[in-house]
Amino acid sequence: QVRERLKQQVLEMKEKFPDFRPGLAILQVGNRDDSNLYINMKLKAAAEIGISANHIKLPNTATEADVLKCIASLNGDPAVHGFIVQLPLDSDKPINTEKITNAVAPEKDVDGLSSINAGKLSRGDLGDCFIPCTPKGCMELIRQTGIQVAGKRAVVIGRSKIVGAPMHDLLLWNHATVTTCHSKTSTLAEEVGKADILVVAAGKAEMVKGEWIKPGAIVIDCGINHVPDSTKASGKRVVGDVAYSTAKEKASYITPVPGGVGPMTVAMLMQSTVESAQRFLEKFQPGKWNIQYNQLTLKMPVPSDIEISQSYMPKPIDQVAKEVGLLPDEVELYGQTKAKVHLSALKRLKNQPDGKYVVVTGITPTPLGEGKSTTTVGLVQALGAHLHQNVFACVRQPSQGPTFGIKGGAAGGGYCQVIPMEEFNLHLTGDIHAITAANNLVAAAIDARIFHELTQTDQALYSRLVPSVSGVRKFSDIQIRRLQKLGINKTDPMALTKEEVNLFVRLDIDPGTITWQRVLDTNDRFLRKITIGQSPTEKGFSRTAQFDITVSSEIMAVLALSDGLDDMKKRLGRMVVASSKRGEPVTADDLGVTGALAVLMKDAVKPNLMQTLEGTPVFVHAGPFANIAHGNSSVLADKIALKLVGKEGFVVTEAGFGADIGMEKFFNIKCRYSGLRPHVVVLVATVRALKMHGGGPAVTAGVPLPKEYMEENLQLLAKGCSNLNKQIQNARMFGVPVVVAVNAFKTDTKAELALVVQLAKEAGAFDAVECNHWAEGGKGAVALAHAVQRASQAPSNFRFLYNVELPVIDKIRLIAQQIYGASDIELLPEAQEKVTLYTKQGFGNLPICMAKTHLSLSHDPEQKGAPTGFILPIRDIRASVGAGFLYPLVGTMSTMPGLPTRPCFYDIDLDPASGEVSGLF
């Protein structure tokens, strides 16, 4: 009956979770015949029920350390829901059995032998522990009689940890009056005669006589003993601890030996394994969070960002991971406050529904920024800590260039921060350093290849590229791919003709077409233009080159747009670094560097887990530029987060710069590649920026705001709302409802804030709300959170702005006219040449990633508001083929920022005694 019930429960689990099976592991040391027999019985029962059982067998030479290592591995294996250590341990080496049984994780200890489970049983916590299988089976047999245990007198003979002691506890907590007898009990027959329920586990053949037993008693015989029997072929037979033939005449129920308690013990092991699997599913059910939020203690005036950050103790990051439903083996800890999440989590959750997808963007900003990051964090804190919704923030990792340059660190602000902000702003888990190494490996490979091709014959190159090892030449996998690309379908290096060898060894890179630059994650203006190859060893091969900042590397964009390790590797291989003198694209795969790049990036592809001040989870992953790249955090982080939050949860991500740049690229590039469809746009606006768009004086970083921004001016504000109107239209163009978040500053008046809310609604926003999250944390964004919840339920008809199959010029024109308000575009000669080249090379159907100023809807940063009728000049067009877009250059811009006269690092310091960082903001 038990097995049939368990079989049905396992089938029901499979129906609900198709890829799931309860898992049992049996760890054996040595090769005892009796242990082998018992294990085979358990494996057979597991197979019958549908449990995935794994038998791990260590040799009898195994040490205690070997066994503990194996147990640690099983403890961390999410596919194992229960495991047992088969006793006795048959090892030549001394092993402490108590230490071994206590090493088993209590939540997987389906044998119930650990001290924690034994302690819980002795305290009566029956619903929160595993009970040893034999006592559990005995209780099931007693229940099957239909006789009430409560109030009965029970006697247990034996006090072992496996049967006697737990049996006593189990009967006691089922309200029987229990006496435990043992070898020293002098009045054993008398005690047995009082028992309504008798459980015998003494290990002595037929020690309990039939005449001792109270008439009508229930007798459970756990003994297995061998006694001589000349009638048996083996010369012996199995008997229990009770004299069965006489006892059965007095007992109302009695278990036979063999065939009574033994099969029930195995059945209970299966039942405990299924129960453990059910607990696992309940605990790690996607979308079912049990999260602890941090209570903020707000201060006025609001302290500095780093003071606030350092005044709150983050939860241990493994606790955050557990709270959101990540399994232990899916989390790779980097200290106490940050962790990487393995992509196996996405595979595990693939059949789960996605949550609601929200993108935070903004109006055209001032140089000071309008608080998109702060709003992103405030919104998730409101949704999570105040409205108790499952919610994840997904944000970009900041570059160290601005951190030490003019801007300082970035992690939100006020009471809406990702913490610890020092970790967030500095090395984090090393992703940007990995990108730097990978990028510069490509750069080194380009110049080295040009050098070697200039200085060697075809045969010399071939001998070095395909060396003879022990007299055998062999192509590597990446070389086979290059041969196939060239149309050479040969795998034997000796079979190539001279012409084929020439094609294979010579990339014939045109130095004038190299688009790949070296990178560094530091603002260093003197690396904007350099000459490389000046050493005599380079034999006169020198060229002009440059360094860019790391986050502008195409590898960063590849990381952000990849949907897995395999996809990332393919994208890395497709990256075009130059053209050959024949006009053909030269890729990282042609250079032979793809595999090495994937190795350098194998850890960077895993999203980084952190938390907000109020304890809501955050993924920090990737940080591509928002001008020459798409300015959004990673697809992978969003996908994992959407699965973790569950159908009713929210994932809030941020798009860089204003809606005309970051949001447009989020929709047309990121969503196109990810396949994800957003539910809501949150458009951040400030009175300050809108006054600037209405004709207010210039806003400059590091300079006090002019008086126009400190005093109420409704006319100036209303005029500037033209920019807000246009950005609302831009968002609605993609068919997604827009909620405007008016980020309030202390200089704003109630009338000004009310005017922005009114005009935003009139312009077509689903809703518009005033927000005070910077000063109040999540509490100050509760109204915004409610508006986002309502908007997520509204009809959405998401659509892209253009079809990628359109000609390159048409796609650029659509963005310029529809998003920016231009009347037309003008391609300068260099840009026109690139259109022709990229179309010829087969890249014409890639999405467009416009690189223009973020300080205006137009190409001119001085044009504020919502300019129209202008011609958008396209200076040049470049290709990020691996990332998957073309980026037209509008005007001039630097990809290597410089340091100002007084960089932020003047204020940054470390206290050697405490290790605390100061001045990072």
Side-chain angles (χ1 to χ4, degrees):
Q1 288 175 14
V2 171
R3 289 187 183 186
E4 285 302 316
R5 185 181 74 239
L6 294 176
K7 194 185 296 185
Q8 185 59 38
Q9 288 175 358
V10 170
L11 284 172
E12 288 169 6
M13 285 187 207
K14 285 182 180 177
E15 285 176 12
K16 197 170 181 182
F17 305 98
D19 297 328
F20 182 82
R21 283 184 76 188
L24 171 67
I26 303 171
L27 176 59
Q28 179 185 10
V29 179
N31 194 35
R32 284 175 59 118
D33 289 339
D34 54 350
S35 291
N36 291 335
L37 178 64
Y38 297 143
I39 289 168
N40 284 335
M41 289 168 57
K42 293 165 186 173
L43 293 174
K44 184 179 177 183
E48 179 189 327
I49 291 165
I51 294 171
S52 175
N54 184 20
H55 179 198
I56 301 102
K57 201 168 187 176
L58 299 180
N60 59 7
T61 56
T63 64
E64 186 174 270
D66 295 332
V67 181
L68 290 171
K69 184 179 179 182
C70 188
I71 289 174
S73 174
L74 292 168
N75 281 341
D77 187 346
V80 173
H81 307 109
F83 81 86
I84 66 169
V85 179
Q86 184 69 40
L87 300 177
L89 299 167
D90 180 25
S91 176
D92 298 340
K93 306 291 190 296
I95 297 180
N96 183 331
T97 301
E98 185 81 3
K99 187 175 180 180
I100 294 301
T101 53
N102 279 323
V104 177
E107 66 272 16
K108 296 188 177 187
D109 174 31
V110 287
D111 246 350
L113 299 182
S114 68
S115 296
I116 289 176
N117 278 318
K120 287 182 176 181
L121 175 58
S122 69
R123 291 194 326 181
D125 298 336
L126 305 189
D128 190 34
C129 70
F130 284 112
I131 298 163
C133 298
T134 298
K136 189 174 183 177
C138 293
M139 278 304 301
E140 185 65 26
L141 286 165
I142 293 167
R143 288 192 192 99
Q144 287 293 324
T145 68
I147 295 171
Q148 276 295 115
V149 174
K152 296 294 189 293
R153 184 180 292 274
V155 172
V156 177
I157 302 177
R159 52 184 172 180
S160 73
K161 294 177 183 176
I162 296 175
V163 183
M167 192 72 233
H168 171 279
D169 294 337
L170 201 50
L171 286 162
L172 181 67
W173 292 112
N174 278 275
H175 312 299
T177 301
V178 188
T179 301
T180 298
C181 300
H182 45 76
S183 59
K184 304 298 182 186
T185 302
S186 58
T187 57
L188 185 59
E190 182 182 332
E191 296 297 337
V192 169
K194 299 174 186 176
D196 301 312
I197 298 169
L198 176 65
V199 180
V200 189
K204 295 181 75 172
E206 298 183 328
M207 68 171 288
V208 175
K209 309 306 178 188
E211 57 268 23
W212 297 358
I213 295 170
K214 181 180 180 179
I218 299 171
V219 179
I220 308 293
D221 188 353
C222 303
I224 297 180
N225 309 283
H226 293 92
V227 296
D229 187 342
S230 58
T231 66
K232 301 293 183 183
S234 63
K236 56 186 178 181
R237 62 187 169 88
V238 176
V239 298
D241 291 352
V242 179
Y244 181 80
S245 59
T246 54
K248 70 184 176 75
E249 301 302 326
K250 298 189 74 174
S252 58
Y253 295 90
I254 184 169
T255 57
V257 177
V261 172
M264 280 303 295
T265 298
V266 175
M268 290 301 104
L269 174 64
M270 301 301 121
Q271 181 168 309
S272 291
T273 302
V274 171
E275 286 172 359
S276 181
Q278 288 169 333
R279 290 179 193 174
F280 173 86
L281 287 175
E282 181 71 18
K283 190 175 182 181
F284 292 101
Q285 189 172 338
K288 185 172 183 180
W289 291 8
N290 181 19
I291 191 164
Q292 172 190 325
Y293 298 107
N294 298 331
Q295 189 78 30
L296 295 181
T297 304
L298 305 177
K299 294 181 180 179
M300 290 299 289
V302 176
S304 71
D305 290 344
I306 195 162
E307 282 181 78
I308 294 172
S309 174
Q310 292 178 345
S311 66
Y312 287 91
M313 178 66 71
K315 294 180 289 186
I317 201 65
D318 57 341
Q319 178 186 331
V320 176
K322 189 176 181 181
E323 287 174 343
V324 302
L326 289 164
L327 305 182
D329 74 325
E330 294 170 345
V331 181
E332 190 176 326
L333 301 180
Y334 279 65
Q336 292 293 310
T337 57
K338 54 192 177 180
K340 279 199 164 290
V341 173
H342 290 248
L343 305 189
S344 58
L346 187 58
K347 184 178 179 183
R348 173 175 65 88
L349 298 166
K350 64 182 180 182
N351 294 320
Q352 299 305 313
D354 288 342
K356 308 291 174 58
Y357 198 25
V358 180
V359 59
V360 177
T361 185
I363 62 170
T364 305
T366 68
L368 304 178
E370 309 317 307
K372 290 195 310 299
S373 299
T374 307
T375 303
T376 299
V377 177
L379 175 57
V380 298
Q381 289 183 165
L383 284 165
H386 297 269
L387 301 186
H388 304 290
Q389 300 292 306
N390 293 351
V391 62
F392 242 104
C394 292
V395 300
R396 290 183 292 168
Q397 179 183 352
S399 164
Q400 286 182 180
T403 298
F404 293 103
I406 194 168
K407 183 181 176 186
Y415 286 102
C416 299
Q417 295 186 49
V418 179
I419 58 170
M421 58 84 70
E422 308 96 297
E423 303 285 350
F424 180 85
N425 280 283
L426 298 176
H427 307 285
L428 198 57
T429 57
D431 294 352
I432 290 180
H433 301 317
I435 291 166
T436 302
N439 183 99
N440 292 345
L441 179 62
V442 177
I446 294 167
D447 290 310
R449 187 59 177 260
I450 293 171
F451 172 78
H452 291 308
E453 288 188 24
L454 285 172
T455 56
Q456 297 180 52
T457 64
D458 288 357
Q459 195 54 51
L461 282 168
Y462 194 60
S463 296
R464 287 177 172 85
L465 287 169
V466 194
S468 175
V469 179
S470 302
V472 178
R473 293 185 189 275
K474 186 179 178 182
F475 291 124
S476 66
D477 290 343
I478 202 165
Q479 289 175 328
I480 294 287
R481 288 203 299 272
R482 171 151 173 78
L483 287 167
Q484 290 170 346
K485 179 180 176 180
L486 294 169
I488 302 170
N489 296 312
K490 296 178 181 178
T491 56
D492 180 3
M494 306 305 293
L496 267 64
T497 66
K498 284 185 178 181
E499 292 76 15
E500 289 170 340
V501 167
N502 174 267
L503 280 173
F504 174 74
V505 302
R506 297 206 175 271
L507 300 180
D508 208 18
I509 294 170
D510 179 355
T513 67
I514 295 172
T515 54
W516 197 268
Q517 309 299 343
R518 289 163 172 82
V519 298
L520 190 67
D521 195 34
T522 303
N523 289 5
D524 191 345
R525 66 192 317 124
F526 286 92
L527 294 178
R528 289 172 178 170
K529 189 172 184 180
I530 60 172
T531 302
I532 61 172
Q534 292 189 335
S535 169
T537 55
E538 310 326 312
K539 302 180 181 179
F541 171 66
S542 65
R543 67 181 182 89
T544 300
Q546 69 188 55
F547 270 81
D548 295 338
I549 197 157
T550 299
V551 291
S552 71
S553 169
E554 183 177 351
I555 295 178
M556 177 63 90
V558 165
L559 173 66
L561 289 170
S562 297
D563 69 1
L565 194 54
D566 182 58
D567 181 48
M568 182 181 73
K569 185 178 176 183
K570 289 174 181 175
R571 287 175 180 270
L572 291 169
R574 290 199 299 266
M575 294 186 306
V576 174
V577 301
S579 292
S580 71
K581 291 172 183 173
R582 297 183 297 275
E584 296 166 349
V586 177
T587 66
D589 221 42
D590 292 327
L591 287 166
V593 76
T594 305
L597 297 179
V599 169
L600 285 169
M601 294 293 293
K602 69 180 177 64
D603 291 319
V605 77
K606 305 166 193 170
N608 304 297
L609 180 65
M610 293 188 77
Q611 63 192 288
T612 67
L613 280 168
E614 296 192 50
T616 57
V618 180
F619 274 138
V620 184
H621 199 216
F625 257 26
N627 47 28
I628 67 166
H630 62 293
N632 287 266
S633 58
S634 79
V635 165
L636 278 168
D638 290 359
K639 284 191 169 185
I640 295 173
L642 283 163
K643 296 296 183 187
L644 287 170
V645 298
K647 189 177 180 181
E648 301 304 318
F650 290 84
V651 171
V652 182
T653 190
E654 177 193 344
F657 294 156
D660 54 308
I661 300 180
M663 183 197 71
E664 181 270 316
K665 295 173 184 180
F666 171 82
F667 289 141
N668 283 321
I669 298 175
K670 185 176 180 180
C671 291
R672 196 183 298 269
Y673 282 121
S674 70
L676 300 174
R677 298 295 178 260
H679 294 78
V680 184
V681 171
V682 173
L683 184 69
V684 180
T686 63
V687 169
R688 176 182 67 194
L690 292 172
K691 284 182 176 179
M692 179 193 71
H693 286 296
V699 175
T700 307
V703 176
L705 285 172
K707 65 179 179 63
E708 286 85 349
Y709 298 100
M710 314 299 285
E711 300 169 353
E712 184 175 288
N713 190 329
L714 298 180
Q715 186 177 355
L716 190 67
L717 179 61
K719 185 179 178 185
C721 281
S722 61
N723 185 271
L724 174 63
N725 294 353
K726 175 57 179 164
Q727 298 290 30
I728 291 171
Q729 291 171 25
N730 284 343
R732 294 187 66 199
M733 203 176 296
F734 293 91
V736 183
V738 185
V739 174
V740 173
V742 187
N743 191 13
F745 286 56
K746 61 184 179 182
T747 53
D748 302 339
T749 68
K750 287 293 180 185
E752 288 176 328
L753 294 168
L755 179 62
V756 177
V757 167
Q758 175 195 332
L759 295 178
K761 291 178 180 178
E762 290 176 2
F766 177 89
D767 203 350
V769 291
E770 176 188 338
C771 304
N772 294 284
H773 44 274
W774 178 81
E776 298 178 5
K779 176 185 172 185
V782 167
L784 175 62
H786 280 304
V788 167
Q789 281 184 304
R790 292 193 301 272
S792 71
Q793 304 297 328
S796 178
N797 183 28
F798 177 72
R799 54 190 174 271
F800 298 119
L801 181 65
Y802 54 81
N803 186 323
V804 289
E805 301 298 327
L806 288 173
V808 173
I809 294 175
D810 290 353
K811 287 182 285 192
I812 297 172
R813 182 178 286 112
L814 271 170
I815 296 170
Q817 292 177 336
Q818 298 293 317
I819 302 296
Y820 305 155
S823 60
D824 205 349
I825 60 172
E826 178 188 13
L827 268 68
L828 301 184
E830 193 171 356
Q832 187 61 63
E833 288 172 14
K834 292 292 180 63
V835 169
T836 304
L837 173 67
Y838 293 143
T839 303
K840 179 184 174 185
Q841 291 180 337
F843 307 138
N845 61 350
L846 292 176
I848 300 299
C849 182
M850 300 291 283
K852 79 167 187 71
T853 179
H854 63 291
L855 298 174
S856 172
L857 281 162
S858 75
H859 57 285
D860 181 0
E862 300 304 317
Q863 287 196 46
K864 304 301 181 184
T868 57
F870 57 91
I871 304 294
L872 190 76
I874 309 299
R875 178 172 61 85
D876 194 4
I877 301 176
R878 294 178 188 167
S880 287
V881 178
F885 52 75
L886 302 178
Y887 59 100
L889 302 179
V890 181
T892 59
M893 61 188 65
S894 172
T895 48
M896 171 54 82
L899 291 174
T901 306
R902 191 186 189 282
C904 291
F905 59 63
Y906 274 83
D907 301 308
I908 297 172
D909 203 359
L910 178 74
D911 182 341
S914 67
E916 278 200 353
V917 175
S918 60
L920 199 55
F921 271 98

